[in-house]
């Protein structure tokens, strides 16, 4: 029996919103509002490319040389970004997740990261996608089910748009960016004031190239930070994240091949900085039995 490249498909429906989540990677394959695509996803007979819609755990973004040291152990992960010599985006993107609960408006998928070379820790993950009249919310719970402390980070990789990113009017509440080297590894921090990465006042992306991690995010009274994208048709996509996600990566897809190049803007909530397994910047260390929880989501304002 043949199967779809992204596994089982879970179609969610609530009010004007529709979403599709897949069992491979617990991936957000598509999101629409009033039949208009919101997330720049991929087709039913395709697989995710360029991280599109994927869950990033137990670390997001890059790890230099795939190496880190934890609890007096030197650990080595596979280099799945070989051109830059990095390990990238965790271990669960291509794994089959198990459905725990599937309803018309929500689905919960679970996955166990079993101890392995490079990550000898046992982590149980659950991701719940929920639609309602306000939009999409995504809740993640991670539990250290092993007997030793473990390092952990999480992120998500949705893209938004579907046309030239130059025409998107962007608001990003980050007051600081991480300065990176040619391998995408942070080497410092910079105040956004006076730089091309200052989107605290909304403005068009234009020709600015973004592969930028923002932090020191301004938040509302509920503790949420919000990245907003206004599209040429006047609709606005808001990507919110709670305090469990103190970093957000914004990527204008300049390094992708046509036709994906600068077609959509990735807005990636992250619990820690790139290279956190080495630097410790934002990294969570879970004691045995301890859990981490975070939520983010998407709403459309027309």
């Amino acid at each position: 029996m043949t199967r779809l490249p992204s596994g089982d498909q879970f179609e969610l429906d609530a009010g004007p919103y529709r979403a599709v989540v897949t069992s491979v990677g617990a991936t957000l394959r598509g999101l629409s509002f009033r039949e208009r695509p919101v997330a720049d996803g991929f087709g039913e007979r395709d697989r995710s490319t360029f991280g599109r819609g994927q869950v990033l755990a137990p670390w997001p973004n890059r790890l230099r040389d795939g190496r880190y040291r934890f609890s007096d152990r030197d650990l080595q992960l596979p280099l799945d970004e070989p051109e830059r010599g990095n390990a990238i985006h965790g271990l669960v993107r291509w794994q089959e997740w198990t459905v725990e609960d599937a309803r018309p408006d929500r689905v919960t998928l679970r996955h166990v990261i079993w101890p392995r070379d490079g990550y000898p820790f046992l982590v149980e993950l659950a991701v719940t996608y929920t639609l309602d009249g306000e939009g999409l919310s995504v809740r993640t719970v991670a539990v250290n089910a092993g007997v030793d402390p473990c390092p952990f980070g999480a992120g998500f990789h949705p893209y938004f748009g579907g046309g030239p990113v130059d025409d998107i009017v962007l608001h990003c509440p980050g007051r600081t960016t991480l300065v990176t080297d040619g391998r995408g590894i942070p080497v410092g921090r910079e105040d956004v004031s006076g730089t091309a990465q200052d989107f605290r006042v909304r403005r068009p992306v234009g020709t600015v190239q973004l592969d930028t991690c923002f932090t020191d995010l301004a938040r509302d009274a509920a503790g949420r930070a919000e990245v907003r994208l206004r599209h040429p048709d006047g609709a606005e996509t808001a990507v919110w994240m709670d305090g469990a996600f103190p970093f957000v990566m914004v990527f204008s897809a300049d390094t992708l091949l046509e036709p994906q190049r600068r077609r959509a803007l990735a807005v990636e909530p992250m619990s820690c900085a790139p290279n956190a397994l080495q630097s410790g910047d934002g990294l969570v260390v879970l004691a045995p039995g301890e859990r981490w929880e975070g939520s983010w989501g998407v709403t459309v304002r027309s």
Side-chain angles (χ1 to χ4, degrees), residues 65-83:
D65 300 324
R67 297 175 187 164
Y68 65 107
R69 185 171 177 81
F70 187 80
S71 294
D72 297 324
R73 287 181 288 182
D74 292 313
L75 300 167
Q76 176 70 60
L77 287 156
L79 301 183
D80 41 10
E81 191 184 41
E83 66 276 12

Side-chain angles (χ1 to χ4, degrees), residues 29-259:
R29 185 170 72 76
L31 175 66
S32 65
F33 175 77
R34 294 177 181 166
E35 309 302 325
R36 181 183 69 82
V38 175
D40 188 43
F42 57 97
E44 183 182 73
R45 297 188 176 276
D46 300 322
R47 68 176 183 89
S48 175
T49 54
F50 311 117
R52 207 166 298 273
Q54 291 183 321
V55 179
L56 317 177
W59 78 89
N61 210 274
R62 294 171 173 85
L63 173 63
R64 180 178 52 203
D65 300 324
R67 297 175 187 164
Y68 65 107
R69 185 171 177 81
F70 187 80
S71 294
D72 297 324
R73 287 181 288 182
D74 292 313
L75 300 167
Q76 176 70 60
L77 287 156
L79 301 183
D80 41 10
E81 191 184 41
E83 66 276 12
R84 289 184 170 184
N86 297 319
I88 190 168
H89 288 337
L91 300 170
V92 303
R93 295 194 291 159
W94 309 112
Q95 301 302 310
E96 178 83 358
W97 291 54
T98 301
V99 61
E100 177 185 79
D101 182 36
R103 307 183 191 183
D105 62 348
R106 78 187 69 169
V107 63
T108 297
L109 295 162
R110 290 189 173 273
H111 181 71
V112 178
I113 303 174
W114 293 99
R116 68 192 71 194
D117 292 344
Y119 194 79
F121 311 104
L122 178 55
V123 180
E124 295 179 351
L125 294 172
V127 176
T128 300
Y129 291 89
T130 303
L131 280 185
D132 60 23
E134 299 300 315
L136 173 72
S137 63
V138 185
R139 176 174 172 263
T140 303
V141 175
V143 178
N144 179 359
V147 296
D148 298 310
C150 76
F152 180 79
F156 289 79
H157 207 304
Y159 287 78
F160 302 96
V165 300
D166 309 49
D167 299 331
I168 292 174
V169 177
L170 174 65
H171 170 263
C172 181
R175 294 180 283 243
T176 302
T177 59
L178 304 188
V179 180
T180 58
D181 62 16
R183 297 169 65 182
I185 303 299
V187 294
R189 294 191 175 210
E190 181 178 59
D191 189 311
V192 298
S193 301
T195 73
Q197 284 72 41
D198 189 351
F199 286 92
R200 292 173 296 173
V201 175
R202 65 172 70 230
R203 61 186 175 89
V205 173
T207 59
V208 175
Q209 296 186 12
L210 292 165
D211 193 359
T212 306
C213 185
F214 293 86
T215 190
D216 295 330
L217 307 176
R219 296 180 180 272
D220 64 17
R224 288 183 175 186
E226 194 172 87
V227 177
R228 298 193 291 272
L229 294 73
R230 180 167 293 168
H231 307 283
D233 64 1
E236 182 176 88
T237 300
V239 183
W240 59 264
M241 58 212 76
D242 71 11
F245 295 101
F247 300 86
V248 62
M249 197 86 182
V250 181
F251 175 49
S252 54
D254 295 86
T255 57
L256 304 190
L257 301 175
E258 298 293 352

